[in-house]
Amino acid sequence: QVQLVESGGGLVQPGGSLRLTCAASGFTFSSYAMSWYRQAPGKERELVAATTSAGGWTNYADSVKGRFTISRDNAKNTVYLQMRSLKSEDTAVYYCNAVTSANGELYDYWGPGTQVTVSS
């Protein structure tokens, strides 16, 4: 059974930091590219950060470059999102995503999300 479970969200003041964790199970984690997305109320889901299966390449939305860092530990089947200098506009539900393709099939999994609220 495939599972992605996010944790680490919460309420933080502007300028603060949070580290999100996504624990994966039920699939070969090291074969999947991993990403973090977010969705704010009334807005579309957007890509925040992504990393390749081995973690050698990362990509970030312009709005979070220099503030957020994605990393993964394939031995622990876990991906992280370190968030610093948080702003009110970072408030959203953050989702973990795993994706790979094999034999012409796309395998795409999502976690249920974790709420991040940046407010004083």
Side-chain angles (χ1 to χ4, degrees):
Q1 180 184 357
V2 172
Q3 273 197 315
L4 292 172
V5 180
E6 302 96 338
S7 61
L11 174 64
V12 63
Q13 292 187 343
S17 299
L18 282 175
R19 188 175 82 154
L20 305 184
T21 299
C22 174
S25 61
F27 62 98
T28 307
F29 181 78
S30 59
S31 295
Y32 283 69
M34 298 298 299
S35 301
W36 288 94
Y37 285 75
R38 67 186 181 188
Q39 188 167 20
K43 294 188 177 181
E44 293 187 355
R45 191 172 297 191
E46 64 173 351
L47 177 67
V48 175
T51 184
T52 49
S53 57
W57 176 87
T58 57
N59 189 42
Y60 297 92
D62 287 343
S63 58
V64 307
K65 279 181 182 176
R67 300 189 298 122
F68 290 11
T69 303
I70 187 171
S71 61
R72 64 189 296 162
D73 185 339
N74 285 350
K76 295 183 178 179
N77 289 356
T78 302
V79 63
Y80 306 97
L81 185 68
Q82 178 68 51
M83 305 185 294
R84 297 182 176 88
S85 302
L86 283 160
K87 306 175 182 180
S88 57
E89 51 262 46
D90 295 318
T91 295
V93 178
Y94 283 71
Y95 298 91
C96 178
N97 171 255
V99 65
T100 195
S101 62
N103 301 319
E105 297 278 341
L106 181 69
Y107 299 88
D108 187 18
Y109 306 127
W110 292 88
T114 185
Q115 176 71 47
V116 172
T117 303
V118 184
S119 175
S120 55

